[in-house]
Amino acid sequence: MIRDTIVNGPQNAPHRSLYHALGLTPEEQQRPLIGIVSSYNEIVPGHMNLDKIVEAVKLGVAMAGGTPIVFPAIAVCDGIAMGHEGMKYSLVTRDLIADSTEAMVRAHGFDGLVMVPNCDKNVPGLLMAAAWVNIPTIFVSGGPMLAGRVDGRKTSLSSMFEAVGAYNAGKIGEDQLRICEENTCPTCGSCSGMYTANSMNCLTEVLGMGLKGNGTIPAVYSARIELAKHAGMQVMELVKQNIRPRDIMTAAAIRNALTADMALGCSTNSMLHLPAIANECGVDFDLDMANRISAGTRNLCHLAPAGPTYMEGLNQAGGVYAVLKELTKGGLLDTSVLTVTGKTLGENIASAVNRDETVIRPFENPYSPTGGIAVLRGNLAADGSVVKRSAVAPEMLVHEGPARVFDCEEDAQAAINAGSIRPGDVVVIRYEGPKGGPGMREMLNPTSAIMGMGLGSSVALITDGRFSGATRGACIGHVSPEAASGGVIGVVRDGDIISIDIPNSRLELKISDQELAQRMAAFVPQKKELSGYLKRYAALVSSGAKGAILNL
């Protein structure tokens, strides 16, 4: 065991005395010490139930002969942080979570880990940490929220943000807004659509780091508690067999995850997190690989915000395994990869069944022949940009329109609320990238306002920031290079024509090469006065095209 240098021999009596201070018996000290990384807190709805998950994990570990020890990880609620300065502290927590977890594991010599995350940055942050420390590790998330119901329709958080847009446009009144507010988020759990948290929890299953149902069993179902107990038991098997995260999260597993991402129609944030996870696993991740995989992967699911189904429906239809089973019909997965079950992916999904073809389309009858995410390039995004193609109205897949340029989210939101954005416009929000924000804020407020005002089929939005998984419409994020790094987005002017061609993966500023060269020669990016963690983050962070990883 890793802790042999801590618990055995006379020279380690001081260490054992501190274990006694913890109340650990000599018998417990001799068992594998399993760290349980708990993201529990009382401010994030997706995390308020994690104390119950952690207790179940502890029981599972103890049942299988281990000694469970809990330590914390922080979490930010993206919904609560949305639309103000707090959102600058969302993405940046991914690295804080990874760093602090590494520190705790290295300092205390755990033999294995159970990661208990749920929301947007906790899952990738802990996957990154798992790759760094590389000791036997398994994940069990807190599970998704049940969908809300308003006027007989299922709803989710994106519905709530769009209701605000409808209210500002005079389409609904205060009473209807209040009804939406009180009924949209009815339970604990990660928000009920295929947003970033649920995307990453589903992809954790595909990567092989979580058990069946990790991404889809609702937070309030007792099956979630059973899953947590099984995860606690299974980590002991991983310790016995010395199966480690880098044995599981291989290049083939990451390609599988990207393939499943396309079929599921996951959040565009996966195109920040998968490259970052791959980087920590020592796997090269080429952003254009997304288009290559997308070209051959059929989109099988239209969960909210792209469609009318929710995570509970995906769970009932057979979950992630059923989607993977459909993909094997086209030979799109490497089913030989190892997983935390100790079996291959192929063995895990062999008995999977698609129980609802209205939720998971059969491979032979997809929503589209190509995947849910596209990477766009052009003079406006030489290093790439990302759009959730499966959530774009067909009439907006190809669009040209005049730019309406804003240097921050707040200015764009004010213009949208004032009704000054017109059909055909292309809203440009810059200086919101990883460095320029800093922190690469999500733009759910402006995109939801556009949708709520009925402009979703006529207005596009592009940004060097990013979008929530709850965003739908012609919303193109991660534009790289960003404005703060001297990117072309920084020289766009009001009235410039911007061309969007999603089928052909192009994003262009329609000015002459000579004019563009003159503007770039005169361009001096804006700089912000920063302090504290954001100052350190801005100094170290790479572009969105590289996953916003920190350059060391």
Side-chain angles (χ1 to χ4, degrees):
M1 292 191 300
I2 294 171
R3 288 181 306 107
D4 285 346
T5 56
I6 298 177
V7 299
N8 294 328
Q11 71 277 11
N12 289 318
H15 303 81
R16 293 194 297 274
S17 73
L18 293 171
Y19 281 156
H20 283 294
L22 290 171
L24 294 180
T25 66
E27 294 82 2
E28 287 175 303
Q29 293 179 34
Q30 290 302 314
R31 295 173 179 174
L33 191 68
I34 305 300
I36 302 173
V37 186
S38 171
S39 300
Y40 168 77
N41 63 46
E42 295 182 341
I43 188 61
V44 184
H47 291 222
M48 63 179 284
N49 66 318
L50 295 189
D51 55 340
K52 308 295 189 300
I53 303 296
V54 166
E55 287 303 313
V57 170
K58 288 174 65 178
L59 182 57
V61 169
M63 288 168 63
T67 298
I69 299 289
V70 180
F71 63 90
I74 63 169
V76 165
C77 177
D78 279 18
I80 294 173
M82 194 71 64
H84 56 87
E85 288 293 300
M87 180 48 69
K88 294 183 178 181
Y89 289 88
S90 172
L91 180 59
V92 304
T93 64
R94 186 184 70 184
D95 296 277
L96 282 174
I97 291 161
D99 289 347
S100 60
T101 301
E102 178 193 15
M104 288 294 289
V105 174
R106 296 296 190 205
H108 299 106
F110 293 100
D111 297 292
L113 295 169
V114 182
M115 306 292 201
V116 188
N118 208 28
C119 289
D120 298 28
K121 311 310 164 302
N122 297 79
V123 183
L126 291 178
L127 284 165
M128 290 163 66
W132 290 352
V133 300
N134 202 35
I135 63 173
T137 301
I138 193 169
F139 277 65
V140 57
S141 76
M145 184 184 293
L146 294 179
R149 284 188 178 272
V150 175
D151 298 332
R153 295 180 298 104
K154 287 188 175 183
T155 59
S156 59
L157 184 64
S158 56
S159 312
M160 190 65 246
F161 278 91
E162 290 179 17
V164 174
Y167 172 79
N168 288 335
K171 294 185 175 183
I172 64 172
E174 285 190 27
D175 289 345
Q176 183 63 25
L177 186 65
R178 185 172 60 255
I179 290 171
C180 294
E181 175 185 334
E182 293 172 352
N183 293 280
T184 290
C185 297
T187 71
C188 62
S190 49
C191 294
S192 56
M194 188 54 83
Y195 306 154
T196 306
N198 293 326
S199 295
M200 294 310 302
N201 282 321
C202 287
L203 295 183
T204 297
E205 278 191 62
V206 185
L207 283 168
M209 292 298 293
L211 299 176
K212 178 183 179 183
N214 178 71
T216 61
I217 298 172
V220 295
Y221 283 15
S222 296
R224 177 64 56 176
I225 300 298
E226 294 182 45
L227 180 71
K229 291 176 184 175
H230 284 133
M233 290 186 274
Q234 187 59 28
V235 75
M236 295 301 296
E237 287 298 316
L238 296 175
V239 171
K240 288 176 187 175
Q241 298 179 47
N242 196 29
I243 297 174
R244 303 180 179 220
R246 290 197 187 187
D247 300 327
I248 294 170
M249 292 192 288
T250 61
I254 289 168
R255 285 194 299 272
N256 284 346
L258 189 52
T259 301
D261 185 327
M262 298 300 172
L264 286 163
C266 290
S267 163
T268 53
N269 280 314
S270 64
M271 297 306 296
L272 286 173
H273 300 321
L274 285 177
I277 295 162
N279 181 69
E280 305 314 329
C281 293
V283 173
D284 290 333
F285 191 104
D286 173 11
L287 193 61
D288 287 326
M289 180 169 59
N291 281 349
R292 293 194 296 272
I293 288 178
S294 179
T297 303
R298 302 177 186 187
N299 179 227
L300 304 181
C301 298
H302 267 194
L303 286 94
T309 53
Y310 295 81
M311 295 305 297
E312 62 206 66
L314 179 59
N315 186 63
Q316 292 163 358
V320 173
Y321 278 19
V323 176
L324 298 181
K325 188 68 173 291
E326 292 289 347
L327 291 174
T328 62
K329 294 178 181 178
L332 299 180
L333 300 174
D334 184 338
T335 56
S336 69
V337 294
L338 183 64
T339 72
V340 289
T341 65
K343 301 177 181 178
T344 66
L345 180 66
E347 291 173 306
N348 288 346
I349 67 174
S351 61
V353 176
N354 183 354
R355 297 188 176 91
D356 189 342
E357 294 184 355
T358 67
V359 175
I360 305 171
R361 288 277 188 93
F363 186 78
E364 301 81 7
N365 182 33
Y367 281 102
S368 70
T370 54
I373 289 176
V375 172
L376 312 184
R377 291 186 186 269
N379 65 358
L380 193 48
D383 293 341
S385 61
V386 179
V387 63
K388 189 170 184 176
R389 173 167 43 194
S390 60
V392 178
E395 57 269 34
M396 289 298 290
L397 290 171
V398 177
H399 177 75
E400 281 195 4
R404 296 293 309 279
V405 182
F406 304 94
D407 287 342
C408 65
E409 178 189 359
E410 288 83 356
D411 289 350
Q413 186 67 46
I416 295 166
N417 291 345
S420 64
I421 302 302
R422 305 298 182 195
D425 285 349
V426 178
V427 177
V428 177
I429 305 177
R430 61 194 181 194
Y431 293 105
E432 292 287 7
K435 285 183 179 294
M440 208 177 184
R441 286 195 287 182
E442 290 185 342
M443 303 290 159
L444 182 57
N445 273 2
T447 60
S448 297
I450 286 169
M451 296 301 297
M453 290 177 170
L455 297 172
S457 61
S458 61
V459 170
L461 193 153
I462 70 170
T463 180
D464 51 11
R466 61 195 176 96
F467 294 112
S468 165
T471 289
R472 61 190 178 108
C475 301
I476 301 163
H478 310 193
V479 171
S480 302
E482 61 177 292
S485 296
V488 171
I489 191 173
V491 300
V492 179
R493 297 174 182 172
D494 274 338
D496 284 346
I497 299 300
I498 291 176
S499 172
I500 299 166
D501 186 346
I502 295 173
N504 289 303
S505 304
R506 301 301 297 171
L507 181 63
E508 299 280 350
L509 176 63
K510 303 288 282 188
I511 60 175
S512 70
D513 291 345
Q514 181 181 6
E515 171 68 14
L516 179 57
Q518 290 174 347
R519 291 189 193 182
M520 293 300 292
F523 179 39
V524 178
Q526 296 179 11
K527 294 199 174 185
K528 297 177 181 176
E529 291 296 322
L530 301 172
S531 62
Y533 181 56
L534 290 182
K535 183 175 182 178
R536 296 196 299 277
Y537 183 85
L540 294 173
V541 71
S542 70
S543 78
K546 294 183 178 179
I549 59 174
L550 299 186
N551 295 312
L552 302 179

